[in-house]
Amino acid sequence: MEDNTKQPPTADASLYNGQPTDTGSSCPSARLTSCTPSISKNRGGVSVENVPFENKQWFVLRVSYGRIIKAKALVEAKGLECYVPLRYKEVKKKGKKRIITEPLLSSFLFVHASAERVDYLLQDKSIKPLENRALLSYYYDHTSHCENSPTKNPPLVISYAAMDNFIRLTSIHNPHIIPVTSENIKYKLGDEVVITKGEFKDIRGRVARIAGQQRVLVELFDGYLVATAYVPKNAMKPYVEH
């Protein structure tokens, strides 16, 4: 991945499930365990409890190719909270298995802020001029239209419940959590479930078979999905919305 690396201040750190690029640890098992990591605090001590705050929302911003680290740093420098989900990938170095991290969705950054502050951010001169490409731009909701302009789509906003579910899943250090597209999966009867035990406990999604394994898929928006590792049938139950 390539990267050349007047608003009142708010949080000075991001909601970023960051780890060192090479943890030096052996590959965690794909089987279910009881060691579900808490997401109440990240390594920097920043709370990621996902509750509504003032007029903040979760916006999806598109990042120009290969520049997500630069974009993250710029957003943080403006005092805004952001989240970059990581993929924990198993590699072999000198005959030993190690886990490296890379962005799970390399073209997207999630920013938690008011609409006014996000709009102000995207007007910044340091973001707009980049070889005729903006470093950051809105990702639009193609399923709805602006009230005052029926031919335009509004910026995509993710609900707190959906974002909380996504953060819980992508904060788990398991290399078998993978991004997938709607073209290469098949929902199993469209079953919506909640996982009841193991490291994926409380994750909600739909059951699907991927690479010959039963997994649970979390869809955040517009066909962008993330799959858990293998989940046995007895570790899930139908999800009933309260």
Side-chain angles (χ1 to χ4, degrees), residues 2 12 44 55 64 113 115 139 170 189 193 207 210:
E2 295 181 358
D12 59 359
N55 59 346
S64 62
Y139 184 80
T170 55
L189 303 178
V193 300
V207 179
I210 302 171

Side-chain angles (χ1 to χ4, degrees), residues 9-24:
T10 55
D12 59 359
S14 68
L15 303 176
Y16 176 51
N17 63 334
Q19 297 288 330
T21 301
D22 185 349
T23 66

